[in-house]
């Protein structure tokens, strides 16, 4: 059983993919070739913004976004401790300080009710993460940011294709950043990412930053990065975009089916009134792409081991909050984050991809129910 089934997807796109790759091999423009511009236009239209700027990875997209906003030494950026380290790592690499704010216990996204108390005179941005494929509460976050005249950067590494109140992830704030790592909802065959914005000046800055700060060849206006999106990866993503809208629908359907199957077995469900949540909760105004289908279970290691014995792969995203990582001890840890700490001990991700059939889902749910004593 595949945790993420890229082979079935490849079989669907193989003819288009080979044509796209062959075209790159023949024209030989491997860096910022025509496919990069074509992809950027396609993605900007899909998201619903004026500008998409391809990047070499989701991490570089975050780094470039903060550089474009001139975030640097001594500044503070508010973010979540329950995420992949790249979110906070990029803040620290610029000499700024990640200020962690705990998460909502139901969606696992940054809790807007806790943000305002963390804002200081040094705060320069708010960086929410749209975790597991569901957008954070961006209207509430944007309202807080507007009151304090702060930009919002959406870390949409796991939510590309998702929607929030009818708007696409990456079109919900000043800058949206995503990753096209192979395991993401829209994945390349290597590292890749992108930034999205409606701000013309920021878009120009991002294009310069990704290419060593150049506005033209050998003319450097600013410090930049080598963060260009490879033409071959752009070609691969163009082939995948042909089926991506259908895959978004499949992901939403399969995620909802998982939840229905678990709840039919008596699993504790989506009670947003404060009860522990076993199955993921997706707000009615959201469309999740379920980058992961993540449960909370007691005795996670034992449950995962029992599933592994039956050939069912699992993963943990994430076992240690970023705020507790050794690299951030001593000055960056701040207060306790009890919700993040509790969730990190319990989360377990199950196989999830657009080609997961009903019989396989039923087998997985039955195995989890038995292992967890549901």
């Amino acid at each position: 059983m595949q945790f993420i089934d890229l082979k079935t997807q490849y079989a669907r796109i193989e003819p288009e993919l080979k044509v796209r790759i062959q075209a790159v091999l023949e024209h030989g423009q491997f860096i910022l070739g025509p496919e990069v511009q074509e992809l950027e236009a396609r993605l900007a239209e899909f998201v619903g913004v004026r500008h998409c700027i391809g990047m070499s990875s989701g991490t570089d997209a975050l780094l470039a976004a903060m550089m474009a906003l001139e975030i640097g030494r001594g500044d503070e950026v508010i973010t979540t401790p329950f995420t992949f380290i790249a979110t906070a790592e990029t803040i620290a690499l610029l000499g700024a300080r990640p200020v962690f704010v705990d998460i909502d216990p139901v969606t696992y996204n940054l809790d807007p009710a806790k943000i305002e108390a963390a804002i200081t005179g040094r705060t320069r941005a708010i960086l929410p993460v749209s975790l597991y494929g569901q957008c954070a509460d961006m209207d509430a976050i944007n309202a807080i940011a507007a009151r304090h005249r702060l930009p919002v950067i959406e870390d949409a590494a796991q939510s590309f294709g998702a929607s929030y109140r009818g708007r696409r992830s990456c079109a919900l704030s000043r800058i949206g950043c995503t990753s096209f790592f192979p395991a993401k909802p829209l994945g390349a065959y290597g590292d890749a990412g992108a930034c999205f914005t409606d701000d013309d000046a920021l878009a120009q800055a991002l294009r310069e930053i990704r290419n060593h700060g150049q506005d033209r060849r050998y003319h450097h206006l600013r410090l930049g990065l080598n963060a260009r999106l490879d033409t071959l990866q752009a070609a691969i993503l163009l082939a995948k975009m042909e089926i991506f809208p259908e895959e978004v629908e499949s992901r939403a359907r399969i995620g909802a089916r998982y939840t229905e199957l678990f709840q039919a077995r008596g699993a504790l469900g989506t009670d947003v009134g404060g009860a522990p949540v076993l199955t993921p909760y997706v707000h009615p105004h959201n469309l999740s792409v379920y980058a992961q289908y993540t449960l909370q279970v007691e005795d996670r290691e034992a449950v995962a081991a029992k599933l592994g014995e039956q050939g069912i792969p699992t993963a943990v995203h994430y076992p240690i909050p970023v705020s507790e990582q050794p690299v951030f001890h001593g000055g960056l840890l701040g207060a306790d984050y009890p919700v993040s700490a509790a969730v990190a001990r319990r989360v377990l991700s199950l196989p999830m991809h657009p080609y997961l059939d009903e019989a396989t889902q039923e087998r997985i749910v039955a195995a989890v129910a038995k292992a967890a004593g549901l």
Side-chain angles (χ1 to χ4, degrees):
M1 185 185 300
Q2 300 293 316
F3 189 76
I4 298 171
D5 187 357
L6 295 178
K7 293 181 179 179
T8 299
Q9 182 193 62
Y10 172 72
R12 288 192 64 193
I13 64 172
E14 182 179 3
E16 173 73 8
L17 188 64
K18 288 183 174 179
V19 168
R20 288 282 187 180
I21 291 174
Q22 187 63 34
V24 177
L25 296 176
E26 289 179 0
H27 68 56
Q29 298 178 55
F30 298 112
I31 302 297
L32 295 180
E35 286 80 3
V36 174
Q37 289 75 45
E38 182 183 353
L39 177 68
E40 289 174 338
R42 182 82 175 270
L43 294 179
E45 180 182 12
F46 176 81
V47 168
V49 296
R50 286 203 298 273
H51 303 284
C52 168
I53 303 92
M55 295 283 173
S56 53
S57 69
T59 302
D60 283 337
L62 289 170
L63 189 62
M66 285 183 277
M67 290 173 70
L69 293 169
E70 299 183 348
I71 292 169
R73 190 163 302 280
D75 294 337
E76 295 177 351
V77 178
I78 292 172
T79 193
T80 168
F82 192 59
T83 181
F84 183 60
I85 195 167
T87 309
E89 176 183 50
T90 48
I91 299 168
L93 282 170
L94 293 175
R97 176 176 178 262
V99 175
F100 298 112
V101 168
D102 212 353
I103 59 173
D104 174 82
V106 174
T107 65
Y108 315 135
N109 286 326
L110 192 64
D111 188 344
K114 296 183 172 74
I115 292 174
E116 207 140 18
I119 294 174
T120 73
R122 292 182 177 272
T123 306
R124 293 293 176 266
I126 303 173
L127 206 171
V129 177
S130 294
L131 198 71
Y132 296 156
Q134 177 175 205
C135 294
D137 190 354
M138 297 301 290
D139 283 355
I141 294 168
N142 284 329
I144 295 165
R147 286 199 295 272
H148 295 270
R149 298 183 180 180
L150 296 170
V152 176
I153 305 167
E154 183 193 11
D155 182 340
Q158 297 181 18
S159 61
F160 190 78
S163 298
Y164 171 86
R165 302 188 187 278
R167 294 169 289 154
R168 297 276 192 191
S169 182
C170 291
L172 305 174
S173 62
R174 186 84 175 277
I175 305 177
C177 300
T178 198
S179 167
F180 302 124
F181 183 78
K184 302 298 185 183
L186 178 63
Y189 288 162
D191 280 313
C195 294
F196 297 82
T197 186
D198 277 321
D199 187 311
D200 296 344
L202 279 177
Q204 181 61 27
L206 287 162
R207 291 190 180 98
E208 292 166 0
I209 288 166
R210 75 171 174 186
N211 195 20
H212 298 288
Q214 298 181 110
D215 64 338
R216 59 186 184 273
R217 191 167 175 81
Y218 297 128
H219 189 260
H220 305 267
L221 292 179
R222 61 181 80 235
L223 291 177
L225 306 166
N226 179 4
R228 300 169 302 226
L229 173 63
D230 286 347
T231 308
L232 277 169
Q233 297 302 338
I236 291 161
L237 289 166
L238 281 165
K240 289 195 174 192
M241 276 300 293
E242 296 299 319
I243 61 171
F244 185 62
E246 179 186 330
E247 290 189 336
V248 168
E249 294 178 2
S250 295
R251 284 179 170 276
R253 183 180 65 253
I254 290 166
R257 185 195 303 145
Y258 254 139
T259 298
E260 290 168 3
L261 289 170
F262 275 114
Q263 293 182 1
R265 288 178 170 268
L268 191 58
T270 55
D271 179 356
V272 296
V277 174
L278 176 63
T279 53
Y281 179 78
V282 177
H283 283 294
H285 56 254
N286 279 347
L287 173 73
S288 177
V289 287
Y290 288 98
Q292 291 86 26
Y293 187 88
T294 303
L295 300 168
Q296 287 192 48
V297 295
E298 294 293 343
D299 201 0
R300 178 176 61 203
E301 287 69 25
V303 172
K306 290 176 182 177
L307 295 177
E309 290 169 1
Q310 299 180 58
I312 300 173
T314 59
V316 178
H317 309 89
Y318 299 94
I320 303 172
V322 176
S323 54
E324 296 180 15
Q325 293 290 344
V327 69
F328 286 133
H329 275 276
L332 296 181
L333 184 58
D336 292 330
Y337 313 98
V339 180
S340 297
V343 168
R345 290 192 295 268
R346 292 170 49 90
V347 288
L348 184 69
S349 298
L350 302 179
M352 180 68 208
H353 54 80
Y355 306 102
L356 196 58
D357 61 68
E358 293 188 22
T360 302
Q361 277 194 282
E362 289 170 359
R363 178 189 163 200
I364 292 168
V365 171
V368 172
K370 183 176 181 181
L374 299 178

